[in-house]
Amino acid sequence: MVLASQKDATLMITVQQHILQEQQRFPGATGEFSWLLSGITMATKLIQAKIRQAGLIDILGVQGNVNVQGEVQQKLDVYSNDVLIQYLSSRESIGVLASEENEKPLLFHQDSMEAKYAVVFDPLDGSSNIDVNVSVGTTFSILRRPDDVGFDDTKPWVLQPGAQQIAAGYVVYGSSTILVYSVGNGVHGFTLDPAIGAYVLSHPNMRMPEQGRYYSVNEAYLSRFPTSYAEYIQRLRSGELGYPYASRYIGSMVADFHRTLLKGGVFLYPPTTEQPDGKLRLLYEANPVAFLAEQAGGRAFDGHGNILDIVPESIHQRTPLVVGSQVEMLDFERTVMKTG
Ligand code: AHM
Ligand code: MG
């Protein structure tokens, strides 16, 4: 990969230019959608800057609060949430913001005709990994306000099946900072070039390989998974799919999914005896990666059907998630979904 600062500036495509091109696919587009997405790109640049300083400034560790999920909030969770809300709420096209860190959706620009989008996000996924310098990420999903829905109830804005997402993506703060997004026209990845402070197109038209070599799951919970999941993992290990798989588990969904998108394979967060719906949240964790996986030629299931078909009942609803390449997902369907 060649970074923008290393090549002819006339050849590089920034995420902003790319979004403007993509936006032309929306009838009557006025620039508002690219302005909305620029709220995400700006906020994530600030988040990554803070993450890069972690250890130097007083930003590591716990904030002292417990969020709506009953999880201890890290200082960086709070900072990331505040920055995203600040930048997105300044876009008039935003009517509703829903975050992992807020119990209820937040309402903005009430009664403005321009406010027609909801953004649902996890500001800092995998944040328990931050103190040990492991990759973390931000995930987001963008939904359009359904016709005839007003501002008196925010639920219809966000409780839409993932198939209704008009855009979704994530940023992984890893050895480099990469933004991956789709507006339903393929999946595109941009690397933040620190020399110029811009996300530059580095991974156009990303396609998930038909089959990979890794499975990714927290194997410590194996005895607590349904038997059919354990059988499926055993099939991957023992070479039933052509060769024995190796295991990779970072413990940050965004980073584990990013590897799966690039290298193929399968990422699983199954139901467990303690958590029959798994751990991951449907609206802002499973839906964005399912949307990206399908756009890149992969698939995503909850163990019964397609993630993108689930009609959400609550904002912080959890779901089992199995996402990956065609070959692995076909075998999952046969091994787990057909046998119950
Ligand atoms: P978080 O949103 O509180 O950070 O939790 C979600 C994270 C995912 O990134 C990751 O896949 C999962 O938790 C790891 O959980 P576990 O430690 O149970 O394997
Ligand atoms: Mg999370």
Coordinates of all heavy atoms in Angstrom, one line a residue, residues 68-69 96-106 119-121 143 153-160 280-285 287 312-319:
V68 N -25.3 1.5 30.4 CA -26.6 0.8 30.4 C -26.5 -0.7 30.3 O -27.3 -1.4 30.7 CB -27.4 1.4 29.3 CG1 -26.8 1.2 28.0 CG2 -28.9 0.9 29.4
Q69 N -25.3 -1.2 29.8 CA -25.1 -2.6 29.7 C -24.6 -3.2 31.0 O -24.3 -4.4 31.0 CB -24.1 -3.0 28.6 CG -24.1 -2.0 27.4 CD -25.2 -2.3 26.5 OE1 -25.7 -3.4 26.4 NE2 -25.6 -1.3 25.7
V96 N -31.8 11.6 15.0 CA -31.6 10.7 16.2 C -30.2 10.1 16.2 O -29.7 9.7 15.2 CB -32.7 9.6 16.2 CG1 -32.4 8.5 17.2 CG2 -34.1 10.1 16.3
L97 N -29.7 10.1 17.4 CA -28.4 9.4 17.7 C -28.6 8.4 18.8 O -29.2 8.7 19.8 CB -27.3 10.4 18.1 CG -26.8 11.4 17.0 CD1 -25.8 12.3 17.7 CD2 -26.2 10.7 15.8
A98 N -28.2 7.1 18.5 CA -28.3 6.1 19.6 C -26.9 5.5 19.7 O -26.3 5.1 18.7 CB -29.3 5.1 19.2
S99 N -26.4 5.4 21.0 CA -25.1 4.9 21.2 C -25.1 3.8 22.3 O -26.0 3.8 23.1 CB -24.3 6.1 21.8 OG -23.1 5.6 22.5
E100 N -24.1 2.9 22.2 CA -24.0 1.9 23.2 C -23.9 2.5 24.6 O -24.3 2.0 25.6 CB -22.7 1.1 23.0 CG -22.5 0.0 24.1 CD -21.3 -0.9 23.9 OE1 -20.7 -0.8 22.9 OE2 -21.1 -1.6 24.9
E101 N -23.3 3.7 24.7 CA -23.1 4.3 26.0 C -24.3 5.1 26.5 O -24.2 5.7 27.6 CB -21.8 5.2 25.9 CG -20.6 4.5 25.5 CD -20.2 3.4 26.4 OE1 -20.5 3.5 27.6 OE2 -19.5 2.4 26.0
N102 N -25.3 5.3 25.7 CA -26.5 6.0 26.2 C -27.7 5.1 26.3 O -28.0 4.4 25.3 CB -26.8 7.2 25.3 CG -25.7 8.2 25.2 OD1 -25.0 8.3 24.3 ND2 -25.6 9.0 26.3
E103 N -28.4 5.2 27.4 CA -29.5 4.3 27.6 C -30.6 4.5 26.5 O -31.1 3.6 26.0 CB -30.1 4.5 29.0 CG -31.2 3.5 29.3 CD -31.8 3.7 30.7 OE1 -31.3 4.5 31.5 OE2 -32.8 3.0 31.0
K104 N -30.9 5.8 26.3 CA -32.0 6.1 25.3 C -31.4 6.9 24.1 O -30.4 7.6 24.3 CB -33.0 7.0 26.0 CG -33.7 6.2 27.1 CD -34.9 7.0 27.5 CE -35.7 6.1 28.5 NZ -36.3 6.8 29.6
P105 N -32.1 6.8 23.0 CA -31.6 7.6 21.8 C -31.8 9.1 22.1 O -32.6 9.5 22.9 CB -32.6 7.2 20.7 CG -33.2 5.9 21.1 CD -33.2 5.9 22.6
L106 N -30.9 9.9 21.5 CA -31.0 11.3 21.7 C -31.6 11.9 20.5 O -31.4 11.5 19.3 CB -29.5 11.9 21.8 CG -28.7 11.2 22.9 CD1 -27.2 11.6 22.8 CD2 -29.2 11.5 24.3
V119 N -28.3 7.8 13.3 CA -27.0 7.1 13.4 C -26.9 6.3 14.7 O -27.2 6.9 15.7 CB -25.8 8.1 13.2 CG1 -24.5 7.2 13.2 CG2 -25.9 8.9 12.0
V120 N -26.6 5.1 14.6 CA -26.5 4.2 15.7 C -25.1 3.7 15.8 O -24.5 3.3 14.8 CB -27.5 3.0 15.5 CG1 -27.5 2.1 16.7 CG2 -28.9 3.4 15.1
F121 N -24.4 3.8 16.9 CA -23.0 3.5 17.0 C -22.5 3.0 18.3 O -23.1 3.2 19.3 CB -22.2 4.8 16.6 CG -22.5 6.0 17.5 CD1 -21.7 6.2 18.6 CD2 -23.5 6.9 17.1 CE1 -22.0 7.3 19.4 CE2 -23.7 8.0 17.9 CZ -23.0 8.2 19.1
L143 N -29.5 4.9 9.3 CA -30.8 4.5 8.9 C -31.6 5.8 8.6 O -31.3 6.9 9.1 CB -31.5 3.9 10.1 CG -30.9 2.6 10.6 CD1 -31.2 2.3 12.0 CD2 -31.4 1.4 9.7
D153 N -41.6 9.8 19.0 CA -41.1 8.5 19.4 C -39.8 8.2 18.6 O -39.9 8.1 17.3 CB -42.2 7.5 19.2 CG -41.8 6.1 19.7 OD1 -40.7 6.0 20.3 OD2 -42.6 5.2 19.6
T154 N -38.7 8.0 19.2 CA -37.5 7.7 18.5 C -37.3 6.3 18.1 O -36.5 5.9 17.2 CB -36.2 8.1 19.4 OG1 -36.3 7.4 20.6 CG2 -36.2 9.6 19.6
K155 N -38.1 5.4 18.7 CA -37.9 3.9 18.4 C -38.1 3.6 16.9 O -37.3 2.8 16.4 CB -38.9 3.1 19.3 CG -38.4 3.0 20.7 CD -39.2 2.0 21.5 CE -38.7 1.9 22.9 NZ -39.7 1.5 23.8
P156 N -39.2 4.1 16.2 CA -39.3 3.7 14.8 C -38.1 4.1 14.0 O -37.8 3.5 12.9 CB -40.6 4.3 14.4 CG -41.3 4.8 15.6 CD -40.2 4.9 16.7
W157 N -37.4 5.1 14.4 CA -36.2 5.6 13.7 C -35.1 4.5 13.7 O -34.4 4.3 12.7 CB -35.6 6.8 14.3 CG -36.3 8.1 14.2 CD1 -37.5 8.4 14.7 CD2 -35.9 9.3 13.5 NE1 -37.9 9.7 14.5 CE2 -36.9 10.3 13.7 CE3 -34.7 9.6 12.8 CZ2 -36.8 11.6 13.2 CZ3 -34.6 10.9 12.2 CH2 -35.6 11.9 12.4
V158 N -34.9 3.9 14.9 CA -33.8 3.0 15.0 C -34.1 1.5 15.0 O -33.3 0.7 14.7 CB -32.9 3.3 16.3 CG1 -32.3 4.7 16.1 CG2 -33.8 3.3 17.5
L159 N -35.4 1.2 15.4 CA -35.7 -0.3 15.4 C -36.1 -0.8 14.0 O -37.2 -1.2 13.8 CB -36.8 -0.5 16.4 CG -36.5 -0.2 17.9 CD1 -37.6 -0.5 18.8 CD2 -35.2 -0.8 18.3
Q160 N -35.2 -0.7 13.1 CA -35.4 -1.2 11.7 C -34.4 -2.3 11.5 O -33.3 -2.3 12.0 CB -35.1 -0.1 10.7 CG -35.9 1.2 10.9 CD -35.6 2.2 9.8 OE1 -35.7 1.8 8.6 NE2 -35.3 3.4 10.1
L280 N -22.9 -9.7 21.8 CA -22.9 -8.5 20.9 C -24.2 -7.9 20.6 O -25.2 -8.6 20.7 CB -22.2 -8.9 19.6 CG -20.8 -9.5 19.7 CD1 -20.2 -9.9 18.4 CD2 -19.9 -8.4 20.4
R281 N -24.2 -6.6 20.4 CA -25.4 -5.8 20.2 C -25.8 -5.8 18.7 O -25.0 -5.6 17.9 CB -25.3 -4.4 20.7 CG -25.5 -4.2 22.2 CD -24.8 -5.1 23.2 NE -23.4 -5.1 23.1 CZ -22.6 -4.6 24.1 NH1 -23.1 -4.2 25.2 NH2 -21.3 -4.6 23.9
L282 N -27.1 -6.0 18.5 CA -27.6 -6.2 17.1 C -27.5 -4.9 16.3 O -26.9 -4.9 15.2 CB -29.1 -6.6 17.2 CG -29.8 -6.6 15.8 CD1 -29.2 -7.6 14.9 CD2 -31.3 -6.8 16.0
L283 N -27.9 -3.7 16.9 CA -28.1 -2.5 16.1 C -26.7 -1.9 15.7 O -26.6 -1.4 14.6 CB -28.9 -1.5 16.8 CG -30.4 -1.8 16.9 CD1 -31.2 -0.7 17.7 CD2 -31.0 -1.9 15.5
Y284 N -25.8 -1.9 16.7 CA -24.6 -1.1 16.3 C -23.3 -2.0 16.3 O -22.2 -1.5 16.1 CB -24.4 0.1 17.3 CG -24.8 -0.2 18.8 CD1 -23.9 -0.9 19.6 CD2 -26.0 0.1 19.3 CE1 -24.2 -1.2 20.9 CE2 -26.4 -0.2 20.6 CZ -25.4 -0.8 21.4 OH -25.8 -1.1 22.7
E285 N -23.4 -3.3 16.5 CA -22.3 -4.2 16.3 C -22.5 -5.2 15.2 O -21.8 -5.2 14.2 CB -21.9 -4.8 17.7 CG -21.4 -3.8 18.7 CD -21.1 -4.4 20.1 OE1 -21.7 -5.3 20.5 OE2 -20.2 -3.8 20.8
N287 N -25.3 -5.5 13.1 CA -25.8 -5.0 11.8 C -24.8 -4.4 10.9 O -24.7 -4.7 9.7 CB -27.0 -4.1 12.0 CG -28.3 -4.8 12.2 OD1 -28.4 -5.9 11.8 ND2 -29.3 -4.1 12.7
P312 N -35.6 -5.6 15.1 CA -35.2 -5.3 16.5 C -36.4 -4.9 17.4 O -37.3 -4.3 16.9 CB -34.3 -4.1 16.4 CG -34.1 -3.9 14.9 CD -35.1 -4.5 14.2
E313 N -36.3 -5.3 18.6 CA -37.3 -5.0 19.6 C -36.9 -3.9 20.6 O -37.7 -3.2 21.2 CB -37.8 -6.2 20.4 CG -38.6 -7.1 19.5 CD -38.9 -8.5 20.1 OE1 -38.6 -8.7 21.3 OE2 -39.5 -9.3 19.4
S314 N -35.6 -3.9 20.8 CA -35.0 -2.8 21.7 C -33.7 -2.4 21.2 O -33.0 -3.1 20.5 CB -35.0 -3.4 23.1 OG -34.0 -4.4 23.2
I315 N -33.3 -1.2 21.7 CA -32.1 -0.6 21.2 C -30.8 -1.3 21.5 O -29.9 -1.4 20.7 CB -32.1 0.9 21.6 CG1 -33.1 1.7 20.8 CG2 -30.7 1.6 21.5 CD1 -33.8 2.8 21.5
H316 N -30.7 -1.8 22.7 CA -29.5 -2.5 23.1 C -29.6 -4.0 23.1 O -28.9 -4.7 23.7 CB -29.1 -2.0 24.5 CG -28.9 -0.5 24.6 ND1 -27.8 0.1 24.0 CD2 -29.6 0.5 25.2 CE1 -27.8 1.4 24.2 NE2 -28.9 1.6 24.9
Q317 N -30.5 -4.5 22.2 CA -30.8 -5.9 22.1 C -29.5 -6.6 21.7 O -28.7 -6.2 20.8 CB -31.8 -6.1 21.0 CG -32.2 -7.4 20.5 CD -33.4 -7.4 19.6 OE1 -34.2 -6.4 19.6 NE2 -33.5 -8.4 18.7
R318 N -29.3 -7.8 22.2 CA -28.1 -8.6 21.9 C -28.5 -9.7 20.9 O -29.6 -10.1 20.8 CB -27.5 -9.3 23.1 CG -27.0 -8.3 24.1 CD -26.5 -9.0 25.4 NE -26.3 -8.1 26.5 CZ -25.2 -7.5 26.8 NH1 -24.1 -7.7 26.0 NH2 -25.0 -6.6 27.8
T319 N -27.5 -10.2 20.2 CA -27.7 -11.3 19.2 C -26.5 -12.2 19.1 O -25.4 -11.6 19.1 CB -28.1 -10.8 17.8 OG1 -28.3 -11.9 16.9 CG2 -27.0 -9.9 17.2

